[in-house]
Amino acid sequence: MKNSQLYKGSLTTIVMKLLEENGRMYGYEITQKVKEITKGELKITEGALYPALHKLEAEGVLEVEIENVDNRLRKYYKLTEKGTSETINRLAELEEFIRNMQSIVNPKLT
Amino acid sequence: MKATKENIQFIDTYLENSDVVYIDIRYEMIDHIATGVEEMMEKNNIDFYNAFKDYMVVHKKAILKNNKSRYNYSWDTIKQFLFFLVKPYQLTIALLLFVFYKSVDFNSYFNKDFTVNNLFFLLFISIALFQIGYFDFYLKKKFYSIESSVVIINVIYWFKIFFLPIFGRKNVSEVTLTIFSYLIIGYVIYFIQQLRKFNQKQFQLTQ
C-alpha cells in the first residue's frame, strides 16, 4: 500500500465503505476497485487485505458466501447488520479525523 | 481467457509448496492469483504459464506475506475469545461456578496423589487430544478458520502453570477454581461454536 503508515489504520474502513456501496465483493475485486477509484495511487496488497477481511469476518462485521466460479471457489464478502451500523460509525470517525488533520495541516482552508 | 482445471491445480500446488498450508486461505489465494493471471492473459495475449510467471514476479512477496503457516498465532483470536467470555450468558456460568465452589468443599476430594492441578491438567490433555484427533485424523487437512482457536487453549495452559499450586500443598481458593473452570468451559463452548460455523462453511464448499 502506498504511504502504508498513513493508510494502514484506514484499511478496514475503506473495505467496509466499498462493501456498503457495492453489496458483495471478493478480494481481488476490492484491490482493483481501490486502484481504480484512486487512479492507481493507492494499492492494497494481498498480505494486508486478507488478514483484515478475516478479522472483520471473525468480529461479525462481514459474512461470506462461497461460490464455484470458473473452476475455482470464490469467497464473496458482504456487510452484516452489525457491519452496516459499524460502517456508519467508522466513516464518521474517519471524516472527523480528516477534518482535524485539515485544520492542522492547512488551517487557512478551515 | 479462463484458467483451466489443470491451471488451478498448478496454482494450488505452487502455494502448498510455498508453505501456504491452510486450505481455506489457499482457496482465496488461488482465486486471487487466477483472476489476476486471467487478466494478464487477455491483456498481453500470452498463455497461462507466462502470465503466471509475470504475475508472481510482482505479487509473490505480498501474497505470501501473512498467508503462510505462521499466520495462526494472532492476538485477534485471543481478543475475540475475551469478548466472548464477557457475554451475559457466559458471565452467568461464571457466577454459577462460583456459587458451586462456595457451597462445596471441592479441595476435600483431592490429596497429594491427585491434586486439583492434576485434574485441570487432565482436562487440558483431553481437549488437546480431541483437537489433534479432529484435525489430523478426521479432517486430515488444515483449515485456518478452525485451527486458529488452538492458540487460546495454549495461553490458558500457560496461565494455569503460574496460578495453580503444582504440588497440592495448599487448598485452591474458590476464585481460582472459578476462573480456571470458567476459562475451560468457556473455551469448550467457544470451540463448539467455531466448529459449527466451520461445518456450515464446509457445507458451502461442498455444494
Side-chain angles (χ1 to χ4, degrees):
Chain A
M1 196 188 280
K2 194 181 177 185
N3 298 330
S4 59
Q5 289 308 313
L6 290 174
Y7 289 112
K8 213 173 175 180
S10 311
L11 175 60
T12 51
T13 313
I14 294 169
V15 169
M16 287 160 75
K17 170 72 180 164
L18 284 178
L19 291 172
E20 187 195 44
E21 284 175 355
N22 296 283
R24 66 171 203 171
M25 295 175 93
Y26 54 97
Y28 187 83
E29 194 181 8
I30 294 172
T31 59
Q32 296 309 298
K33 192 78 184 169
V34 171
K35 206 167 141 187
E36 182 196 317
I37 293 170
T38 62
K39 296 183 177 68
E41 276 293 301
L42 181 57
K43 286 174 189 161
I44 300 179
T45 64
E46 298 84 349
L49 176 69
Y50 289 101
L53 286 170
H54 299 156
K55 188 184 163 201
L56 290 172
E57 186 192 344
E59 286 172 359
V61 171
L62 302 183
E63 58 185 339
V64 298
E65 284 169 1
I66 298 167
E67 279 178 25
N68 207 321
V69 178
D70 299 328
N71 300 318
R72 58 189 182 261
L73 295 167
R74 179 163 285 168
K75 199 170 169 185
Y76 287 95
Y77 292 90
K78 63 177 185 180
L79 289 170
T80 58
E81 209 171 298
K82 179 187 169 189
T84 309
S85 53
E86 185 76 20
T87 306
I88 298 167
N89 296 338
R90 291 208 193 180
L91 283 172
E93 264 178 44
L94 186 61
E95 276 168 19
E96 198 184 331
F97 172 76
I98 294 167
R99 262 199 310 276
N100 289 334
M101 288 307 290
Q102 185 73 32
S103 323
I104 294 166
V105 175
N106 208 343
K108 283 177 192 169
L109 289 176
T110 56
Chain B
M1 276 184 277
K2 296 291 174 195
T4 62
K5 271 188 180 172
E6 290 72 31
N7 297 154
I8 298 300
Q9 185 57 51
F10 175 84
I11 302 173
D12 188 25
T13 311
Y14 176 88
L15 289 174
E16 196 176 2
N17 292 337
S18 302
D19 210 17
V20 184
V21 291
Y22 295 111
I23 289 200
D24 40 359
I25 302 276
R26 221 157 63 218
Y27 282 149
E28 240 179 334
M29 292 303 112
I30 290 171
D31 182 47
H32 191 99
I33 296 169
T35 313
V37 170
E38 283 170 352
E39 264 190 29
M40 236 173 199
M41 285 162 74
E42 262 185 42
K43 198 173 146 193
N44 303 336
N45 200 23
I46 50 177
D47 68 358
F48 171 81
Y49 293 101
N50 279 313
F52 178 78
K53 199 175 69 189
D54 293 348
Y55 185 83
M56 290 311 279
V57 165
V58 182
H59 296 92
K60 185 181 176 182
K61 198 179 161 192
I63 284 171
L64 296 183
K65 189 186 172 192
N66 294 334
N67 292 316
K68 290 168 80 171
S69 53
R70 65 173 178 273
Y71 192 51
N72 61 345
Y73 285 94
S74 90
W75 165 240
D76 289 328
T77 310
I78 297 164
K79 208 164 70 179
Q80 204 187 321
F81 177 64
L82 293 176
F83 280 126
F84 171 80
L85 284 181
V86 294
K87 285 184 177 173
Y89 69 91
Q90 284 295 323
L91 290 173
T92 312
I93 294 175
L95 186 70
L96 289 173
L97 281 169
F98 184 70
V99 171
F100 170 75
Y101 287 125
K102 265 285 186 202
S103 55
V104 174
D105 184 11
F106 198 68
N107 286 290
S108 66
Y109 294 98
F110 297 89
N111 52 46
K112 278 183 183 174
D113 297 327
F114 190 74
T115 63
V116 173
N117 191 56
N118 293 146
L119 173 73
F120 279 105
F121 182 73
L122 267 180
L123 288 173
F124 280 107
I125 289 290
S126 309
I127 292 170
L129 285 176
F130 171 77
Q131 289 181 327
I132 291 168
Y134 190 80
F135 299 148
D136 293 348
F137 298 104
Y138 179 71
L139 290 175
K140 292 178 185 161
K141 286 174 181 171
K142 293 176 85 65
F143 290 88
Y144 172 73
S145 51
I146 189 71
E147 284 198 25
S148 57
S149 310
V150 172
V151 65
I152 300 165
I153 197 74
N154 287 347
V155 171
I156 300 172
Y157 179 76
W158 289 111
F159 195 54
K160 174 194 88 81
I161 288 176
F162 290 105
F163 286 89
L164 277 181
I166 294 172
F167 303 109
R169 287 194 197 106
K170 56 179 179 180
N171 285 345
V172 181
S173 75
E174 291 89 358
V175 175
T176 312
L177 283 168
T178 304
I179 290 172
F180 283 99
S181 310
Y182 180 52
L183 286 174
I184 290 176
I185 292 170
Y187 178 73
V188 171
I189 297 171
Y190 178 82
F191 187 70
I192 291 169
Q193 279 193 1
Q194 297 301 309
L195 271 184
R196 283 180 61 192
K197 274 189 212 168
F198 170 74
N199 285 324
Q200 279 168 1
K201 265 191 216 168
Q202 277 290 94
F203 177 71
Q204 274 188 294
L205 289 174
T206 51
Q207 283 297 290

